[in-house]
C-alpha cells in the first residue's frame, strides 16, 4: 500500500500497519511525540490499522486534534486517580476542551487540598506508565460491563446509543473507561499537567438532573508551557468581570433574589447609562431610527402567531397554565412581535420604507441554571434592539448599514479587533426546528454570504445556529477564559411578515410583504459591561469611568480650592470628587489608583496661588502643571470624542 504523507512524500508498505508503527518507521522522535493520526482527513487513534492506499498526517501536540487526544488521555488519568482515592465516586464524562479538560464525578465537592492529593496520585499513575488498550463490546454486553462496575452514568450513555452500536472502551492498568478515543499510547507520555479548579455541574447540563462535581485541569507537552499558562491564568483572573465587577461595585448578586438576576450597582449604572444614551443618540440622530416603547409581557396568542410558542417556549417565563387559566401571559424574550404591531398600526406605502424601529428593551429568558455566569449569561437583561421593515429591493443595503453601525460601535469601544463574524445557518437535517421552505433558507443565507464577502469581512459558517425564522450574522467575542458569547446579532428575516400579515402598498397599488432585519447595535448592555470590564481590566476609557477625576488637596488648607475645581468640573459634566481626608498625599494617590480613577489633580499652595492643577494620570503618570481651563478643555474633549488613550503607566493595585 502507498501512504502519502503531509509533506507530499510517499511511503510504501507490503502489509497493513498501525498509524503508530508508520510514525515509528518515519522517525522514533515523531512516534514519541505522536498523539493521534489523520487518515484521509479523518482523525483516528494511533492504534488504527491502515490497510489501503491513504493520505496520513501524524498529529502531535502542536495540532489541535493531537492536543485534544493528549488532554483527553490526561482526563482518564484524573478519573483513575479519583477512583483510587474515592472508590465510591461514580464516573460521568471527561472530555478535552480548548483550555484543557474536565471530568464530572458523582461525589462530594472537592477543595484545593483534595485536588492536590488527586494530582499526586495522577503523578504516580503517569510514572507507572500503563499502556492504553482499546477494545469494543456489543451494546448489550457493554451495558452489563458497566453495570457490574456500578457506573450508572456510563450505563445511561450506552443506553442512548442505537441497538446495533459497537461500544469502544479504553483500559490503562486496572482502570477502564467508556470512550471513543483517540488516546496516547501510554500514560507515561503525559509530561505536564495541573488541576485548576472544582465546581458543580448538572448531569447533561440540565438543572432537572443531579449536581455533579466537575474537576477542571490542563495539560501540556512541555513543563515550561504549563508554567507559562498558569501565569497567564493568574493574569486573566485579575480581569475576570465576576471578581472585578464586585470589587468595583459594578454589580452584585443575591441568593434570595435569584440566579441570573444581577443587581446593577450605581457605578455599573453610570457605565450602562453612558452606553445607552450614546447608542440611542447615534441610532436616532445619525442612522435614522425611531423609538418605540412596548410591554414587558404579552398573551400567549402573540407568541403563537410568531412561532415562538412552538419553537422557544422552554426558553420563556410563562405566567399561568393553559389548561386552567383563561389567559396565559409570558415575559417577552424579544421585542420583534411588539414592534410589528407598531408597524401595522397604519397602512404603509412603499415610500414609507425603510422604517427603522429602535428600542432599549428589557428581555427575559429562562436560561438553565448551569449556564448562568456573572453578567454574560443572565435571565433578565437590557438590549439595544431594533427591527428594520424594508422593501425586498432595500434589504441588501440596509443589511450593510446594520453591519456598518455595528462596526462603528465596536471601533468606538476599542474592541473591533476582539470579535469574529459568524454566518449562523439553519440545519437542513433538523427541519422541524425551523419555519419556511429550504429554498428560502438557501437564498437568504447566500445573500448574507455575498454581503460579508463584498465587505471583505472574514467569517465562519455555523450550521444549526440560526433562529427558527432566519439566518443571521453573529458577532462573537471570547471572555478571559476563552468562552465565546454572541455580542451583536444581525438577522435576515423573509418569513415573519407572512405570519403577522404585514404588508406595504407598492407603486402599482398592490399589497406586498416586506422583509425584516432583526439587529442589535451594541447587544446586551450587561454582557457588554462584562466584556469591557475584562477588556480594560476595569480601567475603562475616560468617558465610561464612573469617576473620571479626583481632586487631591495636599492638606486641609487647600480643600476650598479643591472644591472650587470640583464645582467647575461638574459644571462641565465631568464626574469628579474631592478627597478631603486628612491623609498624606501619597496615600490619596494610591487610593485613587486602586479605584482606577483616570485623572488625579493634586493641589497645594503653588497651584492655589497660580490657579493651576498638578495632573497625574494612568496614561502618562505625571503630566505636569496645567491651568484649570486647560485641563477642563482637554478632558471634556476626551470625553466628547470618546478617545481611548493608551495606558502607559502601570498602576499599582
Amino acid at each position: 500500500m502507498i501512504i502519502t504523507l503531509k509533506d507530499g512524500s510517499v511511503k510504501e508498505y507490503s502489509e497493513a500497519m498501525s498509524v503508530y508503527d508508520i510514525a515509528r518507521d518515519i522517525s522514533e522522535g515523531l512516534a514519541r511525540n505522536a498523539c493521534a493520526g489523520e487518515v484521509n482527513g479523518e482523525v483516528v487513534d494511533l492504534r488504527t490499522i491502515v490497510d489501503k492506499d491513504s493520505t496520513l498526517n501524524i498529529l502531535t501536540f502542536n495540532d489541535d486534534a493531537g492536543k485534544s487526544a493528549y488532554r483527553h488521555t490526561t482526563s482518564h488519568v484524573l478519573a483513575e486517580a479519583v477512583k483510587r482515592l474515592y472508590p465510591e465516586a461514580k464516573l460521568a464524562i471527561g472530555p478535552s476542551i480548548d483550555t484543557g479538560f474536565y471530568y464530572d464525578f458523582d461525589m462530594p465537592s472537592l477543595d484545593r487540598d483534595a485536588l492536590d492529593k488527586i494530582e499526586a496520585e495522577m503523578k504516580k499513575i503517569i510514572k507507572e506508565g500503563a499502556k492504553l488498550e482499546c477494545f469494543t463490546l456489543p451494546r448489550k454486553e457493554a451495558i452489563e460491563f458497566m453495570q457490574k462496575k456500578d457506573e450508572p452514568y456510563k450505563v445511561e450513555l450506552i443506553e442512548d446509543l442505537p441497538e446495533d452500536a459497537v461500544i469502544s472502551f479504553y483500559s490503562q492498568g486496572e482502570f477502564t473507561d467508556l470512550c471513543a478515543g483517540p488516546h496516547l499510547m501510554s500514560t507515561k507520555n503525559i509530561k505536564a499537567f495541573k488541576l485548576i479548579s472544582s465546581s458543580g455541574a448538572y448531569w447533561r447540563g440540565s438543572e432537572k438532573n443531579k449536581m455533579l462535581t466537575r474537576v477542571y485541569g490542563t495539560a501540556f507537552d512541555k513543563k515550561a508551557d504549563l508554567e507559562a499558562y498558569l501565569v497567564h491564568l493568574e493574569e486573566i483572573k485579575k480581569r475576570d468581570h465576576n471578581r472585578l465587577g464586585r470589587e468595583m461595585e459594578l454589580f452584585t448578586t443575591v441568593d434570595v433574589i435569584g440566579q441570573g438576576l444581577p443587581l446593577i450597582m450605581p457605578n455599573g449604572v453610570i457605565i450602562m447609562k453612558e452606553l445607552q444614551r450614546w447608542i440611542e443618540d447615534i441610532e436616532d440622530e445619525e442612522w435614522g431610527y425611531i423609538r418605540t416603547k412596548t410591554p414587558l409581557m404579552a398573551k400567549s396568542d402573540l407568541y403563537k402567531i410568531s412561532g415562538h410558542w412552538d419553537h422557544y417556549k422552554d426558553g420563556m417565563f410563562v405566567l399561568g397554565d393553559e389548561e386552567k387559566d383563561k389567559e396565559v401571559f409570558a415575559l417577552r424574550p424579544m421585542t420583534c412581535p411588539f414592534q410589528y404591531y407598531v408597524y401595522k398600526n397604519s397602512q404603509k406605502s412603499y415610500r414609507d420604507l425603510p422604517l427603522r424601529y429602535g428600542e432599549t428593551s428589557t428581555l427575559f429568558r429562562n436560561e438553565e441554571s448551569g449556564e448562568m455566569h456573572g453578567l454574560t449569561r443572565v435571565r433578565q437583561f437590557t438590549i439595544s434592539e431594533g427591527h428594520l421593515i424594508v422593501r425586498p429591493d432595500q434589504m441588501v443595503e440596509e443589511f450593510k448599514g446594520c453591519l456598518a453601525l455595528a462596526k462603528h460601535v465596536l471601533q468606538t469601544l476599542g474592541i473591533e479587533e476582539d470579535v469574529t463574524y459568524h454566518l449562523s445557518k439553519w440545519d437542513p437535517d433538523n427541519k422541524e426546528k425551523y419555519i419556511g421552505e429550504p429554498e428560502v433558507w438557501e437564498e437568504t443565507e447566500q445573500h448574507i454570504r455575498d454581503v460579508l464577502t463584498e465587505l471583505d469581512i472574514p467569517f465562519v459558517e455555523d450550521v444549526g445556529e440560526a433562529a427558527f425564522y432566519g439566518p443571521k450574522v453573529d458577532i462573537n467575542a471570547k471572555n478571559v477564559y476563552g468562552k465565546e458569547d454572541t455580542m451583536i446579532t444581525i438577522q435576515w428575516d423573509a418569513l415573519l411578515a407572512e405570519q403577522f400579515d404585514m404588508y406595504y402598498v407598492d407603486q402599482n397599488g398592490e399589497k406586498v410583504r416586506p422583509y425584516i432585519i432583526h439587529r442589535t447595535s451594541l447587544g446586551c448592555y450587561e454582557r457588554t459591561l462584562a466584556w469591557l470590564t475584562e477588556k480594560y481590566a476595569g480601567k475603562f476609557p475616560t468617558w465610561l469611568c464612573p469617576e473620571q477625576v479626583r481632586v487631591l488637596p495636599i492638606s486641609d488648607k487647600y480643600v476650598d480650592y479643591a472644591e472650587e475645581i470640583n464645582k467647575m468640573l461638574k459644571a462641565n459634566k465631568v464626574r469628579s470628587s474631592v478627597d478631603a481626608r486628612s491623609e498624606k498625599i501619597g496615600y490619596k494617590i494610591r487610593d485613587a489608583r486602586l479605584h482606577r480613577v483616570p485623572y488625579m489633580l493634586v493641589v497645594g499652595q503653588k497651584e492655589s496661588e497660580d490657579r493651576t492643577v498638578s495632573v497625574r494620570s494612568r496614561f502618562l503618570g505625571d503630566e505636569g502643571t496645567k491651568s484649570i481651563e486647560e485641563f477642563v478643555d482637554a478632558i471634556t474633549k476626551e470625553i466628547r470624542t470618546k478617545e481611548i488613550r493608551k495606558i502607559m503607566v502601570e498602576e499599582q493595585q
Side-chain angles (χ1 to χ4, degrees):
M1 64 180 179
I2 297 175
I3 302 299
T4 304
L5 303 177
K6 183 180 180 180
D7 63 1
S9 61
V10 172
K11 287 279 188 178
E12 292 190 29
Y13 300 100
S14 59
E15 58 184 6
M17 294 180 69
S18 71
V19 172
Y20 179 74
D21 286 336
I22 295 174
R24 284 187 64 190
D25 183 62
I26 297 170
S27 158
E28 286 289 343
L30 179 61
R32 282 195 301 273
N33 293 318
C35 299
E38 187 178 37
V39 177
N40 298 325
E42 180 184 355
V43 177
V44 299
D45 193 272
L46 291 169
R47 300 153 191 80
T48 300
I49 300 299
V50 183
D51 57 5
K52 61 183 178 182
D53 293 353
S54 302
T55 59
L56 173 63
N57 181 18
I58 305 299
L59 302 174
T60 68
F61 193 84
N62 293 326
D63 303 292
D64 287 344
K67 191 180 280 98
S68 176
Y70 187 101
R71 290 171 168 173
H72 192 186
T73 304
T74 315
S75 80
H76 277 224
V77 173
L78 164 61
E80 181 178 1
V82 167
K83 290 294 285 187
R84 282 186 180 185
L85 296 173
Y86 307 92
E88 71 284 358
K90 306 302 178 191
L91 303 175
I93 58 172
S96 65
I97 54 177
D98 287 346
T99 57
F101 60 89
Y102 69 80
Y103 211 112
D104 290 345
F105 304 94
D106 187 351
M107 65 182 301
S109 59
L110 299 166
D111 59 16
R112 185 67 244 179
D113 286 343
L115 294 182
D116 291 342
K117 291 176 183 176
I118 295 169
E119 273 189 14
E121 193 64 34
M122 290 175 68
K123 290 176 182 177
K124 291 180 184 178
I125 294 168
I126 292 169
K127 190 174 181 180
E128 291 166 8
K131 291 183 178 180
L132 279 89
E133 306 286 352
C134 181
F135 66 93
T136 60
L137 292 173
R139 181 175 177 274
K140 182 180 178 181
E141 292 181 29
I143 291 172
E144 293 173 351
F145 182 77
M146 279 301 175
Q147 284 175 336
K148 289 179 181 178
K149 288 185 170 291
D150 193 20
E151 296 290 357
Y153 298 97
K154 300 295 185 181
V155 171
E156 183 178 329
L157 291 171
I158 298 170
E159 287 176 339
D160 286 345
L161 298 174
E163 289 282 350
D164 59 351
V166 176
I167 316 299
S168 64
F169 296 85
Y170 279 82
S171 63
Q172 55 200 52
E174 76 275 13
F175 177 76
T176 300
D177 202 354
L178 169 72
C179 188
H183 280 288
L184 304 181
M185 297 298 288
S186 168
T187 61
K188 71 178 179 181
N189 297 115
I190 299 170
K191 305 302 181 186
F193 74 94
K194 182 69 178 176
L195 298 185
I196 304 298
S197 63
S198 178
S199 64
Y202 290 108
W203 170 235
R204 293 190 155 181
S206 172
E207 60 184 342
K208 297 176 183 178
N209 295 331
K210 186 171 183 178
M211 176 74 77
L212 305 178
T213 294
R214 174 171 294 178
V215 178
Y216 285 100
T218 193
F220 290 84
D221 65 339
K222 296 181 181 67
K223 186 177 180 180
D225 290 344
L226 172 63
E227 291 173 349
Y229 177 74
L230 295 178
V231 170
H232 169 69
L233 271 189
E234 290 304 311
E235 288 300 312
I236 65 176
K237 283 179 183 177
K238 296 176 183 178
R239 293 177 176 266
D240 185 346
H241 83 276
N242 258 317
R243 183 185 71 83
L244 273 182
R246 289 171 170 81
E247 178 185 307
M248 297 178 67
E249 296 186 346
L250 303 179
F251 77 99
T252 189
T253 53
V254 181
D255 287 344
V256 296
I257 292 175
Q259 195 176 16
L261 299 170
L263 299 174
I264 308 301
M265 305 291 281
N267 286 341
V269 170
I270 290 171
I271 298 173
M272 290 175 66
K273 184 173 66 175
E274 287 290 338
L275 291 169
Q276 181 179 332
R277 286 176 174 173
W278 168 56
I279 290 295
E280 290 182 350
D281 285 348
I282 62 171
E283 284 185 350
D284 300 354
E285 297 170 12
E286 300 176 28
W287 295 81
Y289 283 78
I290 51 179
R291 292 282 122 195
T292 66
K293 186 173 177 61
T294 56
L296 299 181
M297 67 177 75
K299 295 195 297 185
S300 59
D301 306 49
L302 178 71
Y303 305 114
K304 289 175 181 176
I305 294 171
S306 67
H308 288 96
W309 202 253
D310 292 332
H311 294 272
Y312 198 76
K313 185 179 177 183
D314 288 345
M316 298 166 65
F317 288 102
V318 177
L319 310 176
D321 187 324
E322 286 190 287
E323 296 182 2
K324 298 178 182 178
D325 301 318
K326 185 176 181 181
E327 290 185 329
V328 174
F329 288 78
L331 298 177
R332 65 179 183 184
M334 71 297 293
T335 311
C336 43
F338 299 87
Q339 290 191 329
Y340 297 163
Y341 282 98
V342 174
Y343 176 86
K344 284 167 61 69
N345 186 58
S346 62
Q347 182 169 288
K348 303 296 189 298
S349 159
Y350 69 97
R351 295 189 183 91
D352 297 319
L353 304 185
L355 274 172
R356 306 180 188 99
Y357 294 116
E359 182 166 336
T360 302
S361 306
T362 299
L363 304 181
F364 306 85
R365 296 185 182 173
N366 191 10
E367 301 279 5
E368 296 280 358
S369 293
E371 295 295 317
M372 299 296 103
H373 178 69
L375 295 179
T376 60
R377 186 75 67 173
V378 293
R379 287 173 168 156
Q380 175 184 312
F381 55 93
T382 306
I383 195 168
S384 61
E385 196 162 20
H387 296 89
L388 289 75
I389 317 299
V390 306
R391 303 193 310 262
D393 64 288
Q394 298 170 325
M395 188 67 166
V396 169
E397 288 307 310
E398 289 297 318
F399 202 89
K400 290 179 184 177
C402 292
L403 282 165
L405 173 56
K407 287 175 74 72
H408 171 71
V409 169
L410 294 170
Q411 287 170 349
T412 303
L413 293 175
I415 49 184
E416 185 185 19
E417 300 302 317
D418 301 333
V419 303
T420 54
Y421 290 77
H422 298 249
L423 169 51
S424 296
K425 308 189 297 183
W426 79 319
D427 182 356
D429 294 330
N430 291 285
K431 295 178 182 177
E432 68 281 356
K433 291 173 55 180
Y434 309 92
I435 61 175
E437 298 302 318
E439 55 268 24
V440 175
W441 283 91
E442 291 167 8
E443 179 184 350
T444 53
E445 287 174 2
Q446 187 58 47
H447 279 307
I448 296 176
R449 192 178 289 112
D450 291 343
V451 166
L452 292 170
T453 301
E454 179 185 339
L455 297 177
D456 197 26
I457 296 175
F459 65 96
V460 295
E461 301 193 12
D462 298 331
V463 175
E465 293 300 316
F468 68 86
Y469 49 86
K472 55 184 175 171
V473 172
D474 283 325
I475 303 176
N476 296 356
K478 292 181 179 180
N479 67 13
V480 290
Y481 294 103
K483 184 180 184 301
E484 191 169 71
D485 287 301
T486 297
M487 309 308 297
I488 296 173
T489 292
I490 305 168
Q491 185 169 329
W492 188 301
D493 176 8
L495 297 170
L496 285 185
E498 180 77 28
Q499 306 274 106
F500 283 88
D501 191 28
M502 298 166 65
Y503 66 88
Y504 65 90
V505 178
D506 70 6
Q507 55 267 48
N508 299 318
E510 300 292 331
K511 291 183 177 180
V512 180
R513 299 291 183 205
Y515 281 1
I516 302 166
I517 300 174
H518 308 241
R519 47 101 277 178
T520 57
S521 52
L522 177 73
C524 169
Y525 285 95
E526 289 82 357
R527 186 173 288 179
T528 300
L529 177 56
W531 187 13
L532 293 173
T533 301
E534 295 186 348
K535 164 72 177 181
Y536 292 107
K539 301 170 188 174
F540 302 104
T542 302
W543 72 280
L544 288 174
C545 287
E547 184 180 4
Q548 295 163 327
V549 178
R550 188 175 294 183
V551 189
L552 311 178
I554 288 176
S555 70
D556 294 346
K557 291 188 293 184
Y558 308 108
V559 169
D560 288 345
Y561 180 56
E563 292 289 0
E564 182 184 343
I565 296 169
N566 187 44
K567 186 176 180 180
M568 184 182 298
L569 288 166
K570 288 183 177 296
N572 283 274
K573 298 184 178 180
V574 178
R575 292 186 288 275
S576 62
S577 68
V578 175
D579 186 346
R581 294 174 295 174
S582 298
E583 299 283 357
K584 292 182 178 180
I585 193 65
Y587 176 87
K588 292 181 180 182
I589 290 171
R590 287 192 297 274
D591 187 66
R593 284 176 171 170
L594 181 66
H595 286 86
R596 298 173 176 81
V597 181
Y599 289 97
M600 292 154 277
L601 305 183
V602 179
V603 295
Q605 181 178 348
K606 189 175 190 313
E607 289 81 12
S608 177
E609 291 172 351
D610 298 342
R611 297 195 60 75
T612 59
V613 291
S614 179
V615 182
R616 298 182 67 88
S617 76
R618 68 161 67 130
F619 311 109
L620 297 176
D622 185 353
E623 294 197 11
T625 301
K626 299 180 182 181
S627 70
I628 303 172
E629 292 76 16
E630 182 184 0
F631 177 77
V632 170
D633 286 346
I635 192 171
T636 52
K637 179 183 178 183
E638 181 182 337
I639 293 168
R640 184 178 65 255
T641 60
K642 298 175 176 57
E643 179 185 355
I644 300 176
R645 294 188 69 185
K646 185 176 181 181
I647 295 176
M648 304 293 290
V649 177
E650 183 63 31
E651 298 181 6
Q652 297 176 1
Q653 301 300 338

